[in-house]
Amino acid sequence: MEEKRPFEDDRLYTVSQVTKACGISRSTILRMERDNLVVPANTNTDNSYRYYDLFNVFQIQQINYLKELGLKKSEILKYYDTNGDITEPLQILENKLMLLRQSVELLRLRKSEEENMIISFYDFPEQICYTRKAKSSGSADTYRIMYDLCQEAVTKGYELLSSMPLFGINMRTDFLKGDFSEKDFDYICCVPLAPERAPEEAEVIPACHAVSLLYHGSYEHPEKPFLALGKYVSENDLIPAGPLRVVGIVAPYVGKMISPENYVTRLVLPIE
C-alpha cells in the first residue's frame, strides 16, 4: 500500500504510545505492518525500533473502524490502493446491511410464536456452492439429502459460508397453478461455500431479483407457504424467471433440539 501523508510533523511515537492511543496490542500493530496496511513513519536501522506519527495513529483508527464494519484485509488494502475509492466498500456494506435487515426480519418472525408469513421482494446474491442433483418427494427427503451433502462438504475440508444457510433449487411448478400434487420432483441441493476458498468443483448460482415468502410455522402442512406464494404471483401478474429456491433457516437461532414448529423457511422465486 502506497504511503500518503497529508501533513508533515516531526513528532514521533513509540509502539507503546500508539497501542494506548488506539486501544490495540503490539502484536496487532505488527500484524498490520506485515499485511502492508501500516508503514511506520521511521524505523531505527540500529535496533529496528519502530516510530509512528499522527498519520499512523489516524490510519490505524480507520483500519479498525473498517474492520468493525466487516471489511476484510484484502478489501481494506484495495480501498487504500485505489486512493480511497469507496465504490466497492459501499457495495460490500450495502450487502451486509441487507443481510442484517433480513436477520432482524427473521428474528421478529420467530418472536411472534405463531404461524406467520411475510411476502416481500428480495435480491438473492450470487452464491458459490457445493451442489448435487437429486429427486425429492418432500421436505423430510430433501433435508436428508441436504444434510448428507453438507456432511460431505465438511469431510472434504470445504469452508462453509456462515452468512448463507443451506438451500435448494426446487423444480416443482404446480404451486404456481394453485396445486401441490407433484411428486418426486427434481431438486438441486446447494451448500454455500466461502468464495475465496471454493474448490474447482463448486458451482456458481447466479444472483436474481425475486419475490420472497418468509414462513414460520409447522411442517405438517408444507403446501401452505407454496400455495400462498403461488397465489401472490398470480394475483400480481408476476412472471417467474427461474426455478424456486428454498432456503431452510434453522441453524442461526437455536441449539440442536429445535422444535419443527419453530422452523423458518424462505421461498425465493426469481421474477422478471
Side-chain angles (χ1 to χ4, degrees):
M1 181 175 61
E2 183 180 355
E3 180 183 358
K4 296 180 183 297
R5 283 173 163 69
F7 50 80
E8 295 295 332
D9 193 330
D10 293 335
R11 284 171 291 185
L12 297 177
Y13 309 98
T14 64
V15 171
S16 177
Q17 289 173 310
V18 174
T19 58
K20 291 178 181 178
C22 298
I24 59 177
S25 66
R26 181 177 184 276
S27 61
T28 298
I29 293 181
L30 297 180
R31 185 164 57 250
M32 286 181 178
E33 292 182 28
R34 287 196 300 270
D35 292 339
N36 295 318
L37 288 170
V38 173
V39 178
N42 183 274
T43 300
N44 190 312
T45 56
D46 294 331
N47 53 28
S48 297
Y49 284 180
R50 295 168 170 80
Y51 297 94
Y52 307 84
D53 60 12
L54 198 57
F55 170 77
N56 289 136
V57 173
F58 291 154
Q59 190 176 34
I60 291 170
Q61 287 180 314
Q62 186 178 51
I63 291 168
N64 285 336
Y65 175 67
L66 294 174
K67 284 183 175 179
E68 288 174 2
L69 290 178
L71 296 186
K72 300 177 183 177
K73 178 188 71 175
S74 59
E75 295 162 348
I76 297 173
L77 272 170
K78 187 171 183 179
Y79 169 74
Y80 282 113
D81 288 341
T82 56
N83 198 25
D85 183 356
I86 201 65
T87 304
E88 187 168 324
L90 179 60
Q91 182 62 54
I92 293 168
L93 295 179
E94 285 179 341
N95 290 341
K96 291 180 182 296
L97 179 59
M98 179 187 69
L99 290 173
L100 180 59
R101 286 172 174 165
Q102 290 169 4
S103 295
V104 171
E105 184 183 53
L106 291 170
L107 291 172
R108 283 177 176 166
L109 196 66
R110 281 283 312 280
K111 190 175 184 295
S112 69
E113 297 183 353
E114 298 176 356
E115 182 180 75
N116 204 348
M117 299 184 196
I118 298 175
I119 295 180
S120 60
F121 291 95
Y122 179 89
D123 288 313
F124 193 96
E126 178 183 280
Q127 298 294 331
I128 310 298
C129 297
Y130 184 49
T131 66
R132 174 165 299 153
K133 294 181 180 179
K135 287 281 187 181
S136 177
S137 59
S139 58
D141 194 28
T142 300
Y143 276 111
R144 178 187 58 78
I145 298 170
M146 185 72 76
Y147 277 92
D148 285 348
L149 183 63
C150 188
Q151 288 179 328
E152 188 176 304
V154 173
T155 301
K156 288 187 173 185
Y158 299 160
E159 182 177 343
L160 309 186
L161 187 66
S162 61
S163 60
M164 183 67 194
L166 310 179
F167 68 94
I169 300 177
N170 190 327
M171 300 304 177
R172 73 182 308 152
T173 58
D174 54 354
F175 67 98
L176 294 171
K177 307 166 189 173
D179 187 22
F180 198 73
S181 58
E182 287 184 13
K183 301 296 182 182
D184 297 326
F185 46 86
D186 290 329
Y187 202 90
I188 302 175
C189 298
C190 302
V191 178
L193 303 176
E196 59 273 15
R197 284 176 287 279
E200 290 185 1
E201 65 178 318
E203 293 190 28
V204 177
I205 308 301
C208 68
H209 180 63
V211 59
S212 160
L213 184 143
L214 198 60
Y215 174 68
H216 173 225
S218 171
Y219 275 23
E220 291 182 3
H221 299 285
E223 74 280 1
K224 282 186 177 182
F226 286 86
L227 294 177
L229 179 60
K231 181 180 179 182
Y232 183 87
V233 170
S234 177
E235 290 178 345
N236 290 274
D237 297 321
L238 301 178
I239 301 176
L244 183 72
R245 304 179 189 188
V246 182
V247 185
I249 306 164
V250 178
Y253 310 109
V254 298
K256 187 175 181 179
M257 303 306 293
I258 180 175
S259 167
E261 286 73 24
N262 275 327
Y263 287 177
V264 177
T265 301
R266 186 187 292 278
L267 305 183
V268 179
L269 182 67
I271 56 173
E272 293 184 1

